[in-house]
Amino acid sequence: MLRQVAEGVLIHESEFCQSNAVVVQGRAGALLIDPGVLGDEMAGLANDLRELDQPVVAGFSTHPHWDHLLWHARLGAAPRYGTARCAAAARDQMSGAGWQARVAEWIPPDIAEQMSWDLFGLITGLAADTARIPWDGPHVRIIEHQAHAPGHAALLIEERGVLVAGDMLSDVLIPMLNLDPTADPVEDYLAGLQLLESVADDVDVIVPGHGSVGGADQARARIDQDRGYVQAVRDADAVADQRVGPAAKDGWDWVAGVHARQLQGLAQRK
Ligand SMILES: [Zn+2]
């Protein structure tokens, strides 16, 4: 079921990890950002879009993690964009024998059964200086940074005041650092947050990749919360963050495990 969060901007929330697919209505059809995970849900989304007379005319993946790279045949064959780095990282994951099994190590088995690998990761990279998604609809600014994943893009739907944050600014997930040896997990994350802060005054609605949609007051609050977490783990300070404490939302207690692994990962890099 689609829910409107701003004029011409609708979301579908998945049963998997409260993932948000975002639909932006355009002149000839919709832009679909991070379409979802479960095959049934994406087929349902395709039906909903047909009823709205909004065929998908463009897709976008905010970053090259498996749960943001899926597609469904019924969504059609529109170009699916990402940043050049996102597309390159998706291609890398899909190279060599056995790539599917390697990616599947990240996927809970019950979810893997409900998704399709067809059309996985077929992303067209946009040149590094591309300011906006090329499509016939409201201007969507690309804010690329290297927090969380290479070539991660937040998207600002300018005329609607909607920030599609990808896997940042969540009320349920802590900042998930990119611990790849080639990344600078803490500084990349802080730089990403700074870019988001530079547009915060233009934001009326935030849509995180996973979690609850927030209003204007949430833009800066969530940026501050994420920055507080990253600075605390950087400085080895005690982390006072409700997302990893006893007040974590029901079903999200596993995030404390992610937190523990991140602390370990950061310590090993020193
Ligand atoms: Zn991610």
Side-chain angles (χ1 to χ4, degrees):
M1 197 188 61
L2 284 166
R3 176 164 76 88
Q4 178 157 314
V5 296
E7 187 197 333
V9 182
L10 306 113
I11 65 162
H12 174 270
E13 187 186 294
S14 171
E15 279 175 34
F16 170 72
C17 226
Q18 224 180 320
S19 309
N20 293 309
V22 180
V23 170
V24 187
Q25 294 185 308
R27 270 171 282 274
L31 165 68
L32 177 57
I33 305 161
D34 289 351
V37 172
L38 307 179
D40 281 357
E41 287 184 342
M42 279 194 277
L45 179 56
N47 283 345
D48 290 348
L49 290 173
R50 204 158 300 152
E51 275 167 30
L52 289 173
D53 207 15
Q54 286 275 313
V56 178
V57 294
F60 193 91
S61 285
T62 56
H63 64 287
H65 286 163
W66 69 270
D67 50 331
H68 300 260
L69 294 174
L70 292 152
W71 197 255
H72 193 287
R74 286 169 66 179
L75 293 169
R80 295 160 56 193
Y81 301 115
T83 64
R85 279 184 171 172
C86 171
R91 265 196 311 278
D92 279 356
Q93 286 175 59
M94 296 165 68
S95 66
W99 69 266
Q100 245 168 265
R102 283 195 299 277
V103 176
E105 283 173 23
W106 296 91
I107 307 177
D110 60 316
I111 299 301
E113 278 172 18
Q114 301 175 67
M115 54 166 261
S116 162
W117 291 96
D118 297 346
L119 307 173
F120 179 89
L122 304 177
I123 304 300
T124 300
L126 296 170
D129 56 354
T130 308
R132 294 190 174 115
I133 295 179
W135 82 299
D136 186 15
H139 288 165
V140 180
R141 196 191 309 171
I142 298 170
I143 304 167
E144 181 177 353
H145 54 74
Q146 309 309 320
H148 180 65
H152 190 301
L155 300 174
L156 180 64
I157 307 164
E158 295 173 340
E159 290 118 278
R160 309 285 187 252
V162 177
L163 180 66
V164 178
D167 280 4
M168 293 171 78
L169 311 188
S170 169
D171 59 327
V172 283
L173 277 178
I174 49 171
M176 312 263 266
L177 305 174
N178 178 7
L179 292 166
D180 283 356
T182 52
D184 186 341
V186 165
E187 291 311 317
D188 287 347
Y189 215 100
L190 293 174
L193 288 171
Q194 203 168 0
L195 281 177
L196 299 186
E197 191 165 43
S198 70
V199 300
D201 287 341
D202 302 326
V203 175
D204 298 319
V205 178
I206 325 175
V207 184
H210 308 277
S212 312
V213 173
D217 58 317
Q218 285 288 300
R220 281 185 191 280
R222 291 192 190 182
I223 290 167
D224 289 346
Q225 186 181 30
D226 278 0
R227 186 185 286 129
Y229 174 88
V230 175
Q231 288 173 338
V233 297
R234 176 193 65 190
D235 301 340
D237 286 344
V239 169
D241 192 308
Q242 60 179 20
R243 297 170 292 186
V244 290
K249 277 200 185 163
D250 271 358
W252 292 87
D253 46 338
W254 57 271
V255 177
V258 174
H259 169 54
R261 284 195 297 280
Q262 295 200 133
L263 289 180
Q264 217 172 35
L266 286 174
Q268 282 166 358
R269 296 169 69 95
K270 286 197 175 138

